Amino acid sequence: MNAIEVKNVSKRYGKVKALDDVTFTVGKGEVFGLIGPDGAGKTTMFRILCTLLRPDEGTASVDGFDTVRQMADIRRRVGYMPGRFSLYQDLTVRENLEFFATLFGTTVDEGYDSIRAIYSQIERFNDRKAGALSGGMKQKLALSCALVHQPSVLFLDEPTTGVDPVSRKELWEMLAMLKERDITIVASTPYLDEVRRCERVAFLDQGVVRGIDRPDVILDRFADIFNPPGIAHAKDAERTDDYVIEVEHLVKAFGSFHAVDDISFKVRRGEIFGFLGANGAGKTTAMHMLTGLNQPTSGTGTVVGYDIRTEHEQIKKHIGYMSQKFSLYEDLTVAENIRLFAGIYGMKDDEIASKTDAMLRRLEFYDHKDDLVASLPLGWKQKLAFSVSIFHEPGVVFLDEPTGGVDPATRRQFWELIYDAAGRGITVFVTTHYMDEAEYCDRISIMVDGKISALGTPAELKRDLGQPDMDHVFTYLARQATRSSD
């Protein structure tokens, strides 16, 4: 019996056809993947199946109920976990759970047995606001909220974006438990290891289903998209002692809790330095100190020659920064964003004008300079945000999970931009949860419990820890953590 049937579904947004004659089925109790590049139509499909959108053409059913004519029946039977976790940040863990239970006409006590294995891991944080939880804890809470009414079908739209590799593995272990209870699971993900955990996948591209089969068959058939060739990175044969970041015994304490606990390291000019750690390990706190957003409790450090304790305003003027949210203004055009940020960095109008034209032509964005950023594909926004962050040729650019939720081919293009910047002498300080990207770095540090647990080249870390790849290196070290991720 099929839990989901989609027949010839199409959906338009103005002139854009988000879904074009899509047909597929999902068996009861199956783990099914919807995969494809950014803008492929995956989220639109999820929203149709969850009765949040109506198709323009075609039909869809969940557990035998039509998504247009029998919305109420479907909503009682499905759980939906969109990206960003869909939590109320200013409500506590318990308040979030009670709110979602009430929406479905049930109580936490009635649904407790269905979420016990997951919720018991965060129950001790019941009185903590969701906004104060780590990514892994938010993930568990969001999944508990989606399951509290005991649904028969669970929809997960990129649920692990921005979550560290260990927490991602834990989520899929939880999903395996749900499958044993015969719950049907439909998930989208940009992570290939998660794609391989599905029984079958449908590959969506520009709203069209290009193929439906086992993961290994689809990943092999469309290898140019999901497994693009590696990037050749010419690394300097000789290393200089020209350091642009120097940190000695840095500590950041919040009361008795040491988020960053006595770390020391140096980063060279033009180096690509990976700064890794599980959610809650302390890396974001450390990055905030290096970028002048927060001051250390003790220890010393300099960034591009400026003291992080006393010259943080100077640091801000001489670095670039890009977060996972891309740091762009969606309601401004491409050209307006460039002018705004260049002006903030103190560049002159004539220099801004000449460099803007050159950059837009290099990115092949020139014909789109007057387009609103909100209208751009995700991959374009990513490349634009990075190019804006180094427009003023900073000594260091800080990249905080810049490729979260982006497909492999687009991520590869982004790393080509990183290599080009490093080749021009810009130091790249990057955090990422993609362990294939860790392999691209010149050196890597991995934080555990506020301390740097390992530091070296990818080859050195794999050799010294006896692990086959960076994913195993990260997991091996992260599982040694003793303090809570929160």
Side-chain angles (χ1 to χ4, degrees), residues 35 40 172 213 221 350:
I35 63 174
W172 280 87
D213 213 316
R221 181 178 167 192
D350 55 348

Side-chain angles (χ1 to χ4, degrees), residues 11 13 18-19 41-49 53 157:
K11 181 67 180 179
Y13 300 104
L19 295 173
K42 303 185 296 294
T43 296
T44 297
M45 191 73 254
F46 275 110
R47 290 175 178 169
I48 287 173
L49 292 173
L53 284 176
D157 190 3

Side-chain angles (χ1 to χ4, degrees), residues 414-468:
F414 184 79
W415 273 85
E416 289 175 343
L417 295 177
I418 289 179
Y419 283 170
D420 179 68
R424 303 202 310 267
I426 297 175
T427 298
V428 179
F429 190 99
V430 58
T431 71
T432 180
H433 288 319
Y434 290 97
M435 291 302 103
D436 61 324
E437 293 185 351
E439 300 272 5
Y440 296 157
C441 298
D442 295 320
R443 284 190 306 144
I444 294 165
S445 78
I446 299 178
M447 288 191 72
V448 177
D449 290 348
K451 298 178 180 293
I452 291 180
S453 183
L455 177 62
T457 68
E460 288 169 347
L461 296 183
K462 288 182 285 188
R463 181 195 66 213
D464 295 346
L465 296 173
Q467 302 296 327

Side-chain angles (χ1 to χ4, degrees), residues 157-173:
D157 190 3
E158 297 192 1
T160 56
T161 295
V163 180
D164 67 80
V166 173
S167 296
R168 290 199 295 107
K169 289 182 175 69
E170 289 176 351
L171 178 99
W172 280 87
E173 288 165 3

Side-chain angles (χ1 to χ4, degrees), residues 288-426:
H288 284 173
M289 288 187 282
L290 295 176
T291 54
L293 298 175
N294 212 332
Q295 280 67 62
T297 304
S298 62
T300 61
T302 60
V303 175
V304 289
Y306 296 102
D307 191 303
I308 63 173
R309 299 178 67 90
T310 61
E311 298 176 295
H312 33 87
E313 291 305 318
Q314 286 296 321
I315 289 173
K316 292 175 187 177
K317 294 177 182 178
H318 291 85
I319 64 171
Y321 180 78
M322 176 183 166
S323 73
Q324 187 177 347
K325 299 184 186 301
F326 303 142
S327 313
L328 296 172
Y329 288 92
E330 300 265 311
D331 56 348
L332 297 182
T333 67
V334 170
E336 288 169 343
N337 265 278
I338 297 171
R339 282 198 299 272
L340 173 65
F341 284 100
I344 289 172
Y345 287 120
M347 296 177 65
K348 304 296 183 183
D349 288 347
D350 55 348
E351 184 185 11
I352 293 173
S354 63
K355 289 195 68 174
T356 296
D357 277 359
M359 186 185 87
L360 291 175
R361 293 186 190 283
R362 185 173 68 251
L363 294 176
E364 298 181 352
F365 282 8
Y366 191 80
D367 292 339
H368 300 276
K369 64 181 179 180
D370 295 322
D371 292 357
L372 289 177
V373 164
S375 69
L376 300 179
L378 184 62
W380 285 32
K381 290 180 185 178
Q382 180 197 58
K383 287 184 278 191
L384 176 62
F386 177 70
S387 298
V388 167
S389 73
I390 62 171
F391 192 70
H392 58 303
E393 296 292 324
V396 183
V397 60
F398 290 88
L399 307 178
D400 191 2
E401 296 178 29
T403 55
V406 180
D407 64 87
T410 304
R411 288 197 293 114
R412 184 189 187 281
Q413 294 171 6
F414 184 79
W415 273 85
E416 289 175 343
L417 295 177
I418 289 179
Y419 283 170
D420 179 68
R424 303 202 310 267
I426 297 175

